Amino acid sequence: MRIAYLSYEHPKGISGGGIGTYIGQMAKIMAEAGHSVEVFSGIEEKVTYQAFKHDGYQLHLIPAEHTEIFREKVLKVFEAVHLAHPFDAMESPEYGADALEVKLKYPEIPLVVKLHTPTFLISKLNSDLNFLSKMRFVLGALRKGNRPKFFWSYNNEYDPEYVLTSLAEKVVSPSHSLAKIVSQKWNLETKVIVVPYPFKPNQQLLKTSEVSTKPFVVTFIGKLEKRKGVLGLMRAIPKILKKYPNVIFRFVGKALPSPKTGMDMQDYMLSKLSTFRKNLDFQGFQSYEKIPEYLETTSVCIFPSLWENFPNVCLETMAAGRVVVGTDNGGMADMIEDGKTGYLIKPSSSQAVARVILKLLESKPEELAMIGAQARDSVLKRYNANVIGDACTTIFKQIIHKVDSR
């Protein structure tokens, strides 16, 4: 098959996100399976257009400052390639609606939309607006004699991500949670199929040594922001340190804005936990290559997100043989078998965080090692390239047959 992937993000261009990681891995898997694969991605505007072979597929890097510009510019490059050597099918993330202009111009090309996390959901998770905030806004507008504009309202028809997804022959989600959320919000006629992202662990992860509990280090990896659940973790720390005063809480990730205007999340957490500064280790943003080093000296990892689609870092932790604690209302509920390959807790609950960490502190090192070993086995069996590649090949064949039969 001739397959095109259209994504603004790619590890060789606009990198740093899970979408780019997925596109790079998936394109390589499909190329290794014998398909003719070309990827159309973005790169900084100061760089000129580039096209070259990478990991067995053709990679096109198109200068674009942001997704809206990429959406327009990719059409010209894609069109030239397609007219010379037609594609059988294409795939695009819903986020950014990267393939929208291409699909509108070439509706006959079967399209798979792979869900990552749509903008409407990201906005909801990061929003600090509650009922009282909305009422204050409305009353303030009325006092000024203005008609309030409900800027928090949402309309599918004006969302390019919805438009692209509604045009797809197949919609695929990496998790059951995201499939349910998007299906209900967008009232999709097409049933959303669940196929996880592929996961090929860094060999360094597989070589991680046995769990060390002296000192006992609880590691969080990810952006320090509200939707990652760091505020609930912050509130749990004093409860844990009251009983185990020598625990170290390590944070690896970039600090984003906090609830306090003008203060980033790291400084905010330090101000709230000033009594426990000796127990806090903020490492800031670190490259992907350094993650195994931090996991090497980690006892337990915690990802208390309000919601997560399919956090690769959870799989990396499991591949490293470390116990992972995640929340039960997103993609981690698919990854973790509670009590066997990790632990699941309710989001936004500092009590739940404290309870599970205290339980793990009271566990023997060999018990932690056993859960870590089971987690590693689970990851290697369920998310390997052959399993995911076969599932994606089947989907492409189905939509090509469906379009040909029209």
Side-chain angles (χ1 to χ4, degrees), residues 105-125:
K105 181 74 179 286
Y106 295 99
E108 71 279 6
I109 304 176
L111 170 68
V112 173
V113 163
K114 181 77 172 192
L115 301 177
H116 293 272
T117 306
T119 300
F120 81 77
L121 184 53
I122 294 174
S123 299
K124 179 182 177 181
L125 291 168

Side-chain angles (χ1 to χ4, degrees), residues 11 15 64 73 89 110 129 142 172 174 199 221 274 308 356 359 384 405:
S15 62
K73 293 178 74 173
L129 282 175
L142 292 173
V172 181
F199 178 68
I221 303 172
S274 57
E308 282 281 1
V356 73
K359 177 181 178 179
N384 73 72
S405 301

Side-chain angles (χ1 to χ4, degrees), residues 192-221:
V192 180
I193 299 168
V194 176
V195 177
Y197 296 149
F199 178 68
K200 186 175 182 180
N202 181 318
Q203 288 302 305
Q204 201 174 340
L205 291 173
L206 301 179
K207 296 176 182 176
T208 307
S209 60
E210 291 184 5
V211 178
S212 172
T213 57
K214 295 181 180 180
F216 197 100
V217 179
V218 179
T219 299
F220 168 91
I221 303 172

